[in-house]
Amino acid sequence: MALESVDGAALGRWAHACVDGLGRRCEEINRLNVFPVPDADTGTNLLHTMRAAAAEALGTADASVREVSAALARGAVAGARGNSGVILSQVLRGIAEAADTDLLDAGTLRAALNEAAVLAAEAVSVPVEGTIVTVLRHSAAAASSCPPEATLSGVVRAAAEAAVEALARTPSQLSALGLAGVVDAGGLGLVVILDALVGVVTGETPERADLTAVVPAAAAPVPGASGPVVPAPGCAEDTGAQDYEVMYLLADSDDRRVGELRTRLDELGDSVAMVGDGAGAYSVHVHCSDPGAAVEAGLAAGRPHRIRVSCFVLDAQRRDRSAPPATARGILALVAGDGAAELFEGEGAAVLRYRGAVTPAQLLAAIRAVAAGEVMVLPNGAMSAQELVAVSVAARDEDHSVMVLPSSSMVQGLSALAVHDPARALVDDAFTMSEAAANTRWGSLRIAPERALTLVGTCERGDGLGLIGREVVVIAPDEAEAGRRLLDQMLAVGGELVTLLRGAPVSDDLVLMLTDHVARNHPGVEVLVYPGGQDSDLLQLGVE
């Protein structure tokens, strides 16, 4: 059933749906990116901006639309990348400016889109027809044209359909697009965002597979064009003189100094875009040949921070060297044993196979060998937290994100990998995988290598040891008795599935005996046995 209004929780779901949608179409949007600079990063910039917005809104699920939308706007302005990200931040700010109640209904959405269109047009010094700003304007106009009695679902559908129609016309409005035979990349990103809102409101996200099917102007007329493709008014399409993209956040300023900064940046370069979050923070964007002068201009206007300078030539060289796409996500698992390595590789993970200790240098090399812009590491208890943090910091750079997940054993790592979804945002995927690992109680069955004092007494060499986590909880004369008692303890608080990861020295008889023990004493609990091949444990056990 379609919603008549959207509350704060639903608005938060929309933000995550936007991240998912942009993630799926990121590379497609990047390929369309030919204006104002063909740097193939519009999809990446939109995705980064929306992720920043969603991250800022985490923890506001029970808040009002006003509070959630304000958080989204703050996050988007602070995390905006590129012209497209700057414009997206104003779409979110438009909602925040219009949201004067606890709910977003049809009237609020009309006002929000109109405000977003005005803010987006004001953001750029020289508006150009055929861009995301144009698509947003037509979408807002369609929403405003809906009758007063229109429902929220009717308004959002009209806005999305108008965006699709406006997107199809962009090649006839902007010569760079028409000659390349593509629609505007940022405009496609806006369609994805509006379609995500349709999905939240109606329960059904539109499927649009042919949005980029355009014939180059040099070969044939562009569909929907009313005449020949003409150069974009007011904007030079030859951006070769501008070698750098400069972005920073500006604080401690005011409207007068922000206006003076815009004038100065217009003198220094082009593609100038400046936006605020409505709470005193500004995001500044310019393409120029003198990045130092652009930053100095910011110093005269306030306090620039989070300064980011990109060189178009170097970025192009990186792409030519086939650098991994920033949105590709890889999993690196640290594993002990050939069987375990096959299990993780079978689930799509890269593996660092080790015997004994793993050094930070080995892990750093393995992370850098993963061909992905985002790398999630499943350490599986192989290294200390301090070493993992140090390596992950060393491995991060402008083009690579590294996230270490809290998997303390290989069985926890397998549980995490089972719920991995590369279509989700990195933070959402990491949360889901971490939760799966945390919900897997784990233990191990070992033979005591020597006499030692434990929390439950003194063990002798050759005793069977049962561990939960890293603590010995069972000492028995043999491994069979230790295994039975360990399973009973781990299942005493419940469980539906036991995973047994077999070590190299374990016998088939021991595995069969423990499987039968679970069947007899814990009815309804399923047991799965996998080859691990680890040397240290007879068995690793996971209970879910």
Side-chain angles (χ1 to χ4, degrees):
M1 180 181 295
L3 301 176
E4 293 304 319
S5 61
V6 168
D7 60 13
L11 196 64
R13 292 197 302 273
W14 169 63
H16 287 286
C18 290
V19 172
D20 290 343
L22 290 170
R24 286 191 297 271
R25 303 195 77 152
C26 182
E27 287 309 304
E28 178 185 7
I29 295 172
N30 281 342
R31 287 193 295 270
L32 300 176
N33 183 196
V34 298
F35 181 86
V37 176
D39 48 359
D41 65 355
T42 294
T44 303
N45 289 340
L46 286 169
L47 182 58
H48 185 279
T49 304
M50 197 68 224
R51 282 177 174 166
E56 181 71 18
L58 284 176
T60 62
D62 297 328
S64 66
V65 163
R66 179 186 307 167
E67 293 169 313
V68 175
S69 61
L72 291 172
R74 285 195 307 272
V77 170
R81 282 200 182 175
N83 261 321
S84 55
V86 168
I87 300 303
L88 171 56
S89 74
Q90 297 309 279
V91 174
L92 299 176
R93 183 183 168 191
I95 297 175
E97 296 283 344
D100 55 359
T101 64
D102 290 339
L103 298 173
L104 187 149
D105 56 17
T108 310
L109 180 60
R110 288 191 189 92
L113 289 174
N114 279 326
E115 181 67 14
V118 171
L119 291 170
E122 292 176 346
V124 293
S125 292
V126 184
V128 175
E129 285 299 298
T131 66
I132 183 176
V133 177
T134 306
V135 176
L136 176 58
R137 186 180 71 244
H138 284 282
S139 176
S144 295
S145 298
C146 291
E149 66 275 10
T151 62
L152 176 60
S153 59
V155 173
V156 71
R157 280 195 180 106
E161 292 301 325
V164 172
E165 294 172 4
L167 179 67
R169 291 193 295 269
T170 57
S172 68
Q173 298 169 316
L174 189 52
S175 61
L177 304 179
L179 293 172
V182 297
V183 296
D184 180 63
L188 176 56
L190 181 63
V191 169
V192 172
I193 288 164
L194 291 171
D195 279 347
L197 185 57
V198 173
V200 170
V201 171
T202 69
E204 185 175 347
T205 304
E207 292 290 337
R208 308 190 193 273
D210 57 350
L211 294 178
T212 61
V214 178
V215 179
V222 177
S226 57
V229 177
V230 296
C235 182
E237 292 188 51
D238 181 8
T239 57
Q242 313 302 350
D243 299 323
Y244 299 93
E245 178 184 57
V246 179
M247 292 197 72
Y248 50 82
L249 299 182
L250 186 69
D252 303 334
S253 190
D254 52 47
D255 290 342
R256 178 187 62 80
R257 287 189 291 170
V258 168
E260 293 173 352
L261 174 59
R262 183 190 292 274
T263 300
R264 175 57 178 151
L265 294 180
D266 283 335
E267 296 171 353
L268 290 173
D270 55 33
S271 295
V272 176
M274 298 178 58
V275 298
D277 64 356
Y282 298 87
S283 178
V284 180
H285 173 279
V286 63
H287 292 173
C288 62
S289 58
D290 187 350
V295 175
E296 289 174 357
L299 288 168
R303 180 173 61 86
H305 57 288
R306 291 178 60 176
I307 300 168
R308 182 173 180 266
V309 179
S310 299
C311 176
F312 296 127
V313 174
L314 291 178
D315 287 347
Q317 289 176 347
R318 292 191 187 103
R319 290 194 300 274
D320 290 342
R321 290 197 299 266
S322 300
T327 53
R329 185 174 308 155
I331 308 291
L332 174 65
L334 280 62
V335 300
D338 295 336
E342 291 179 5
L343 286 174
F344 280 92
E345 288 174 337
E347 294 296 323
V351 301
L352 172 55
R353 172 77 167 84
Y354 69 91
R355 299 187 72 170
V358 179
T359 67
Q362 287 174 323
L363 178 57
L364 181 60
I367 291 173
R368 289 175 171 168
V370 178
E374 298 172 348
V375 180
M376 303 173 80
V377 180
L378 294 170
N380 300 335
M383 297 180 69
S384 70
Q386 293 85 350
E387 290 175 320
L388 291 169
V389 170
V391 172
S392 66
V393 170
R396 295 182 188 125
D397 58 31
E398 183 178 337
D399 299 316
H400 297 84
S401 299
V402 179
M403 185 169 289
V404 179
L405 304 186
S407 63
S408 298
S409 65
M410 290 190 291
V411 286
Q412 282 192 326
L414 288 170
S415 296
L417 194 55
V419 298
H420 166 55
D421 182 356
R424 281 194 295 253
L426 178 63
V427 291
D428 295 337
D429 200 23
F431 176 82
T432 303
M433 294 174 70
S434 298
E435 189 175 43
N439 288 335
T440 301
R441 301 190 301 279
W442 70 280
S444 54
L445 181 64
R446 299 177 181 173
I447 300 295
E450 59 187 9
R451 191 173 191 268
L453 179 64
T454 75
L455 290 177
V456 292
T458 301
C459 67
E460 302 293 338
R461 180 177 180 178
D463 283 347
L465 301 180
L467 291 81
I468 295 181
R470 304 192 185 282
E471 299 296 338
V472 175
V473 296
V474 173
I475 299 175
D478 57 59
E479 62 266 28
E481 178 62 20
R484 286 191 293 265
R485 289 166 53 188
L486 176 61
L487 282 166
D488 290 341
Q489 284 199 35
M490 294 185 70
L491 290 169
V493 292
E496 299 177 351
L497 173 66
V498 173
T499 300
L500 300 180
L501 198 60
R502 297 182 50 157
V506 74
S507 68
D508 292 339
D509 289 342
L510 177 60
V511 173
L512 181 60
M513 183 273 296
L514 294 178
T515 302
D516 289 343
H517 177 78
V518 173
R520 288 194 309 270
N521 296 278
H522 303 279
V525 177
E526 183 181 2
V527 179
L528 297 178
V529 181
Y530 296 106
Q534 67 274 8
D535 294 325
S536 57
D537 301 324
L538 295 174
L539 293 169
Q540 277 198 15
L541 299 82
V543 175
E544 301 174 60

